[in-house]
Amino acid sequence: MADHPRFGPAGVPPSFRIVKAGLSDVPKLLQQEGLDAFEYEAVRWGRKPQIRREDAEQLGRAAKENDVWLSLHGSYFINFCGNKRIVEASKERLIACAVAAEWMKAHVVVFHPGFYGGNSAKQAFDKCLKALEETIETLHSLGIRNVKLGPETMGRRFQLGSLDEVMRLCEKIDQTQLVIDWSHLHARGQGQLRTVGDFRSIVERVEARLGREAVENMHCHFTKIEFNRNGEKRHHILEERRYGPEFEMLAKVVSEFKLKPVIISESPILDIDAMRMRDILQREWSRSEVNRANCDTFF
Ligand SMILES: [Zn+2]
């Protein structure tokens, strides 16, 4: 569980690549920017970890030294609602990600559960639940108990991953972590996050269903997003006025409920928008502290 709200990029920021930083330099560079989370991108991985164990362990040590919270975004090539062959391959891919996450001591492997395909929503959910249970069993047989699997809310209507479905998976299976991609919720719901109240009602739903600890420790993705009638189309930077959702609204609710989420920026300008969100939350948090005449702060 994160000890305070944390921010970081999804993947290595372009400016780090320009200075030819190695993977193990990333946590220090993030710390210099005042960021304290990093999501390692394993999104193109197949059945084997595509990082050497010693490199993963080195990243883990650097993250610890620089107080950077690590997560890993799992392979995009996962579909727990497909036929048997696809589900088996998907399980192997997710396990490879979890093995690497264990090497890094990353806290969570975020993943996209799958596509409804020809299934009814119920059939798709049941298949996904079964596959996820079996994956967790395999992780236990490998001695992996500290890495959580995080089904993510998905932005397209043909993907399994409504808020309700993701909460149900977390409710039914231990060693899972709720992952809320706010932009995906916004896109899937055709622009549903318009007011502070819209964000608040989601936080309240999560709390009512999964409890205080789950809501306090949400793992989040945030960017602005463009959508069409099928949902997600493209991510945009925070400054882009034409698109929502507005981070200021989430910041208000995080301060109001005193949450400590890990918030990962998936914006095209990864770390720059992570810093922007951190600053917005710090401002909002201090304002609500003053209102409450209470001086203890997470920052
Ligand atoms: Zn994702």
Side-chain angles (χ1 to χ4, degrees), residues 8-299:
V12 179
S15 62
F16 294 12
R17 293 192 191 276
I18 292 168
V19 298
K20 298 203 168 21
L23 184 60
S24 61
D25 302 321
V26 169
K28 192 173 183 54
L29 292 169
L30 291 175
Q31 197 204 42
Q32 286 167 2
E33 293 185 324
L35 295 173
D36 46 17
F38 177 57
E39 193 146 291
Y40 178 86
E41 297 284 288
V43 296
R44 312 245 158 237
W45 285 18
R47 295 177 178 200
K48 295 258 157 56
Q50 286 172 31
I51 184 172
R52 290 188 311 172
R53 181 172 183 154
E54 58 190 272
D55 294 339
E57 287 174 350
Q58 205 183 359
L59 171 64
R61 280 193 298 275
K64 193 164 181 231
E65 279 162 26
N66 292 286
D67 187 29
V68 167
W69 178 274
L70 279 187
S71 53
L72 180 146
H73 198 307
S75 176
Y76 287 150
F77 310 119
I78 285 172
N79 181 8
F80 280 158
C81 319
N83 64 33
K84 197 168 167 25
R85 188 180 56 78
I86 290 173
V87 170
E88 288 309 311
S90 300
K91 281 171 13 188
E92 287 180 35
R93 288 170 191 148
L94 192 53
I95 289 161
C97 292
V99 166
E102 172 86 354
W103 293 341
M104 291 172 194
K105 297 203 163 52
H107 299 270
V108 54
V109 174
V110 175
F111 71 99
H112 303 171
F115 302 89
Y116 297 116
N119 302 291
S120 69
K122 181 172 185 323
Q123 280 169 333
F125 180 85
D126 290 346
K127 278 187 174 178
C128 183
L129 182 66
K130 181 165 175 284
L132 194 52
E133 278 168 345
E134 289 165 357
T135 306
I136 296 276
E137 265 174 43
T138 307
L139 294 189
H140 287 174
S141 73
L142 296 169
I144 300 175
R145 291 181 179 271
N146 294 324
V147 176
K148 292 183 174 169
L149 299 184
E152 174 182 345
T153 56
M154 296 309 302
R156 300 190 180 98
R157 292 197 313 204
F158 50 82
Q159 292 170 301
L160 188 140
S162 67
L163 177 63
D164 181 65
E165 285 165 335
V166 167
M167 286 199 294
R168 248 191 297 157
L169 288 172
C170 292
E171 209 167 40
K172 289 182 184 289
I173 307 183
D174 288 341
Q175 212 175 318
T176 46
Q177 162 72 52
L178 179 71
V179 179
I180 296 209
D181 186 314
W182 293 92
S183 331
H184 285 170
L185 285 180
H186 189 65
R188 190 181 183 106
Q190 300 292 297
Q192 66 167 321
L193 299 171
R194 292 188 188 87
T195 65
V196 176
D198 295 333
F199 283 89
R200 190 184 292 117
S201 78
I202 287 178
V203 164
E204 285 170 346
R205 267 172 72 191
V206 172
E207 184 164 22
R209 186 93 175 253
L210 300 177
R212 174 72 195 170
E213 201 179 301
V215 78
E216 232 175 50
N217 296 290
M218 288 186 296
H219 187 86
C220 302
H221 289 167
F222 202 100
T223 57
K224 287 205 165 174
I225 197 157
E226 183 180 349
F227 56 87
N228 59 21
R229 65 197 164 82
N230 286 323
E232 172 185 5
K233 216 173 142 200
R234 186 170 303 118
H235 292 294
H236 289 276
I237 64 171
L238 287 188
E239 257 190 345
E240 180 63 79
R241 299 217 157 273
R242 266 180 305 168
Y243 305 105
E246 298 296 338
F247 184 74
E248 284 77 358
M249 294 177 183
L250 177 59
K252 275 195 177 19
V253 175
V254 167
S255 306
E256 181 186 327
F257 284 76
K258 290 201 146 207
L259 308 180
K260 37 188 186 173
V262 175
I263 299 178
I264 299 295
S265 161
E266 289 190 324
S267 143
I269 48 169
L270 299 161
D271 53 332
I272 312 288
D273 271 350
M275 288 188 271
R276 187 183 290 267
M277 290 194 283
R278 174 203 62 203
D279 293 346
I280 293 169
L281 180 60
Q282 275 180 350
R283 263 200 310 277
E284 197 50 58
W285 196 287
S286 329
R287 194 177 298 151
S288 69
E289 289 295 325
V290 170
N291 290 344
R292 276 194 287 255
N294 176 353
C295 295
D296 79 353
T297 157
F298 279 115
F299 294 105

Side-chain angles (χ1 to χ4, degrees), residues 2-14:
D3 35 4
H4 53 84
R6 285 175 176 262
F7 292 88
V12 179

